[in-house]
């Protein structure tokens, strides 16, 4: 890395790196962040330079949210960020920069349709038995927005199974085929933060008109509305307004409306009033097909045995599947070696057979609740007996330790608690483990159950 650039590493990015390093595994930080460089320009745009496009893709896919969170935390407000590839310096000592993509969102920008990820199109969506129904419903809605009975279209399924991809594919399709229609995509978190910002800035009218003038509203991950009552109220009105004027609404969630906790009944029944379609984990053939499609898109190929090695071992999450592929490419480019089964086993073996990667907050909550003999629902409840509180705090601590989830998403998963509550819980458990041997052993035993 040229020293001129190095000295330009912005204070903002250095602070962000510090923030990030405290929140993800050391090995992940080392692989994905260590060699990055952040430059803040005069327009307050942050350019994050990384060694190659695999790292850029990986960061954009997996860590955009965390980077966004870090920037907000450090800077006090959001900053647009871009990824660029910093090639090794050539003869004249200049660094070549290749523009890659801009994942960051600016809530005040009304061209929300531009925030659709280029990759998430129908053309790149592999269809198999596990997702056929959801795919067909999505296509129907995309072809005739607002004109089918599939309104809202509610897509649900586990993490990494293609909810965001499908929702955005609908957005792309409509954007291209009905250029006069205003397509808006937002996560429920973005909706919430836009709403809160509009209240504090006194610009609620703008907020309302922005969302309510959409012809197609795609809201991703509505489970994060849980526990946020005034946002739910606001969303309820937006929903009704659009629905009455026969605008298309598409919602995604990690579970069926009936099983969603912390959302008002009237919302849930509205959500289930159109078509509810689920996404299941893909079968082996589809997993191989997805990997194959992905390699083609990167203009490369993987030996069959490597494809099957990955597809056989990563079964329940397409993001993980792609992650393995990205990691292989990144390492092969860093080590300048070709990818064969030995290489794949060396790079991925530990990851793939290490079931820790499969630990989710939900799993932690379930096992911790059983371990402490409390109801699972107490994990998200407001109730605060000391017994319940300790179990909940232990679960937050474990979620922090064994998942890559942000403090914010951990808080959300525990009934919409904020990130300071999570930090507090982690500190409490941490210090009790140090001071109370028996308790420490208990947490050790509990951790063993997660693997
Ligand atoms: P979710 O929103 O359900 O957590 P995503 O939509 O973000 O999952 O999908 C995770 C990754 O898997 C994305 O990179 C997406 O492109 C890819 N993916 C999901 N489903 C498919 C599919 N059927 N075909 C190809 N890629 C897929
Ligand atoms: Mg998603």
């Amino acid at each position: 890395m040229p020293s001129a650039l190095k000295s330009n590493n912005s204070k903002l990015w250095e602070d962000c790196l510090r923030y990030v390093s405290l929140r993800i595994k050391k090995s992940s930080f080392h692989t994905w962040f260590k060699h990055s460089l952040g430059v803040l320009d005069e327009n307050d745009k942050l350019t994050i330079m990384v060694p190659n496009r695999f790292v850029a893709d990986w960061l954009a896919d997996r860590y955009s949210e965390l980077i966004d969170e870090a920037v907000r935390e450090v800077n006090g407000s959001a900053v647009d960020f871009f990824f660029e590839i910093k090639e090794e310096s050539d003869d004249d000592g200049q660094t070549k920069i290749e523009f890659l993509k801009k994942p960051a969102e600016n809530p005040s920008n009304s061209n929300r349709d531009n925030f659709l990820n280029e990759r998430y199109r129908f053309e790149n969506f592999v269809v198999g038995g596990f997702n056929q129904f959801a795919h067909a419903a999505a296509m129907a809605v995309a072809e005739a927005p607002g004109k089918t009975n599939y309104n809202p279209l509610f897509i649900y399924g586990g993490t990494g199974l293609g909810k965001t991809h499908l929702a955005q594919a609908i957005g792309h399709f409509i954007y291209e085929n009905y250029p006069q229609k205003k397509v808006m995509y937002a996560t429920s978190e973005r909706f919430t933060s836009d709403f809160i910002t509009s209240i504090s800035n006194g610009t609620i009218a703008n907020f309302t008109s922005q969302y309510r003038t959409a012809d197609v509203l795609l809201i991703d991950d509505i489970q994060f509305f849980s526990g946020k009552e005034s946002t739910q109220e606001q969303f309820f009105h937006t929903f009704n307004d659009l629905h009455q004027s026969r605008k298309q609404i598409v919602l995604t969630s990690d579970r069926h409306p009936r099983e969603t906790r912390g959302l008002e009944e009237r919302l849930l029944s509205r959500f289930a009033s159109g078509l509810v379609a689920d996404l299941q984990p893909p079968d082996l053939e589809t997993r191989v097909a997805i990997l194959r499609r992905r390699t083609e898109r990167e203009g490369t190929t993987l030996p069959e045995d490597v494809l099957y090695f990955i597809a056989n071992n990563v079964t329940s999450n397409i993001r993980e599947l792609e992650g393995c592929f990205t990691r292989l490419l990144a390492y092969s480019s860093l080590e300048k070696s070709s990818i064969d089964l030995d290489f794949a086993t060396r790079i991925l073996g530990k990851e793939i057979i290490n079931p820790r990667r499969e630990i989710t907050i939900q799993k932690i909550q379930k096992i911790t609740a059983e371990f402490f003999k409390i109801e699972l629902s107490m994990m998200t409840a407001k109730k605060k007996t000391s017994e319940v509180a300790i179990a909940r705090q232990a679960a937050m601590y474990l979620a922090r330790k064994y998942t890559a989830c942000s403090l914010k998403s951990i808080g959300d998963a525990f009934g919409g608690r904020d990130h300071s509550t999570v930090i507090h819980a982690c500190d409490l458990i941490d210090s009790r483990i140090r001071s109370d041997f028996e308790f420490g052993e208990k947490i050790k035993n509990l951790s063993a159950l997660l693997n």
Side-chain angles (χ1 to χ4, degrees):
M1 177 187 316
S3 55
L5 269 177
K6 193 167 193 170
S7 62
N8 274 342
N9 208 5
S10 77
K11 171 90 172 56
L12 173 70
W13 185 238
E14 276 173 15
D15 289 344
C16 286
L17 286 177
R18 206 158 301 124
Y19 182 94
V20 168
S21 70
L22 295 173
R23 279 156 184 82
I24 62 176
K25 283 194 225 136
K26 228 192 203 143
S27 58
S28 306
F29 182 78
H30 192 87
T31 310
W32 308 114
F33 285 92
K34 190 82 194 292
H35 304 290
S36 65
L37 189 66
V39 177
L40 195 63
D41 71 14
E42 64 277 12
N43 299 319
D44 269 358
K45 295 229 185 311
L46 177 66
T47 303
I48 302 166
M49 288 185 233
V50 295
N52 59 54
R53 56 186 303 228
F54 305 119
V55 173
D57 269 350
W58 186 274
L59 288 178
D61 276 358
R62 306 261 307 212
Y63 290 113
S64 280
E65 238 177 64
L66 179 61
I67 295 173
D68 194 42
E69 181 187 313
V71 170
R72 283 167 197 268
E73 197 80 16
V74 169
N75 189 52
S77 62
V79 166
D80 275 353
F81 56 88
F82 301 78
F83 292 106
E84 286 183 1
I85 294 160
K86 159 175 62 68
E87 288 189 359
E88 273 149 33
S89 52
D90 50 19
D91 293 346
D92 60 5
Q94 293 291 305
T95 296
K96 279 192 247 147
I97 305 288
E98 179 192 339
F99 174 74
L100 193 76
K101 69 168 138 187
K102 179 198 176 192
E105 299 180 8
N106 176 355
S108 64
N109 189 330
S110 63
N111 288 324
R112 198 164 285 266
D113 40 353
N114 287 339
F115 299 130
L116 298 174
N117 182 326
E118 262 313 302
R119 282 209 292 116
Y120 293 167
R121 293 169 173 277
F122 282 121
E123 301 88 282
N124 300 328
F125 195 79
V126 176
V127 185
F130 70 105
N131 62 11
Q132 208 158 24
F133 180 60
H135 174 260
M139 280 299 285
V141 157
E143 279 166 5
K147 297 219 161 66
T148 65
N149 288 331
Y150 309 159
N151 204 8
L153 171 60
F154 190 101
I155 302 169
Y156 76 95
T159 178
L161 293 184
K163 300 181 295 293
T164 298
H165 190 139
L166 257 192
Q168 295 207 3
I170 297 173
H172 278 298
F173 188 97
I174 297 176
Y175 181 68
E176 274 147 29
N177 291 281
Y178 298 91
Q180 76 285 7
K181 288 203 190 289
K182 181 173 167 196
V183 178
M184 286 183 56
Y185 166 87
T187 61
S188 62
E189 288 150 310
R190 175 64 68 195
F191 183 93
T192 305
S193 80
D194 281 4
F195 174 55
I196 292 170
T197 311
S198 79
I199 294 178
S200 57
N201 293 349
T203 52
I204 187 111
N206 287 351
F207 168 84
T208 312
S209 76
Q210 193 179 19
Y211 278 94
R212 295 196 198 173
T213 51
D215 295 299
V216 180
L217 180 63
L218 312 157
I219 301 286
D220 207 354
D221 287 328
I222 58 102
Q223 72 272 14
F224 294 132
F225 278 148
S226 74
K228 296 176 183 134
E229 279 146 32
S230 47
T231 309
Q232 283 184 38
E233 172 82 22
Q234 186 55 230
F235 186 68
F236 181 73
H237 294 305
T238 308
F239 184 100
N240 283 344
D241 231 43
L242 294 175
H243 198 251
Q244 268 159 22
S245 15
R246 310 213 95 240
K247 308 293 190 192
Q248 182 68 48
I249 300 163
V250 177
L251 307 169
T252 77
S253 173
D254 65 349
R255 63 198 74 178
H256 192 283
R258 259 198 326 271
E259 286 156 17
T260 310
R261 295 221 180 84
L263 286 185
E264 287 175 43
E265 199 45 49
R266 57 179 184 167
L267 269 182
L268 294 179
S269 63
R270 290 263 190 313
F271 290 170
S273 68
L275 182 74
V276 179
D278 69 329
L279 287 168
Q280 294 291 330
D283 50 40
L284 177 68
E285 284 69 36
T286 319
R287 296 200 297 275
V288 172
I290 288 171
L291 278 172
R292 203 169 264 136
R293 181 77 66 91
R294 187 69 207 260
T295 51
E296 279 163 16
R297 233 195 11 257
E298 298 293 344
T300 167
T301 53
L302 284 187
E304 285 290 291
D305 53 357
V306 173
L307 285 180
Y308 276 87
F309 171 70
I310 302 176
N312 265 320
N313 285 291
V314 182
T315 56
S316 61
N317 182 329
I318 298 171
R319 188 177 295 119
E320 287 284 322
L321 202 63
E322 296 191 322
C324 286
F325 166 70
T326 313
R327 190 172 281 248
L328 274 188
L329 286 196
Y331 275 99
S332 98
S333 129
L334 288 173
E335 296 184 8
K336 303 204 185 338
S337 64
S338 63
I339 302 172
D340 58 16
L341 189 58
D342 280 350
F343 179 81
T345 316
R346 177 165 66 81
I347 299 298
L348 301 175
K350 229 168 68 201
E351 305 277 339
I352 287 180
I353 40 186
N354 179 359
R356 273 189 181 182
R357 289 182 65 79
E358 300 294 333
I359 298 179
T360 60
I361 300 182
Q362 285 69 28
K363 184 170 167 191
I364 291 172
Q365 290 178 328
K366 185 163 170 289
I367 292 174
T368 309
E370 276 164 11
F371 188 85
F372 282 93
K373 300 191 176 52
I374 62 163
E375 292 275 323
L376 178 58
S377 60
M378 288 298 116
M379 287 291 165
T380 47
K382 297 262 184 292
K383 198 171 160 187
K384 248 194 167 164
T385 64
S386 64
E387 191 190 5
V388 165
I390 209 76
R392 200 186 286 134
Q393 286 160 348
M396 290 185 197
Y397 168 85
L398 294 170
R400 179 76 190 287
K401 190 161 172 196
Y402 292 115
T403 73
C405 299
S406 66
L407 289 170
K408 179 172 181 326
S409 47
I410 296 175
D412 283 337
F414 283 84
R417 293 178 156 84
D418 72 20
H419 77 282
S420 60
T421 310
V422 182
I423 294 178
H424 180 63
C426 294
D427 290 349
L428 269 178
I429 298 292
D430 203 39
S431 67
R432 185 149 168 209
I433 289 174
R434 287 167 210 276
S435 62
D436 177 346
F437 177 77
E438 226 171 62
F439 184 77
E441 287 300 297
K442 214 169 162 179
I443 297 293
K444 217 190 260 170
N445 292 339
L446 171 57
S447 309
L449 295 175
L450 298 173
N451 286 306

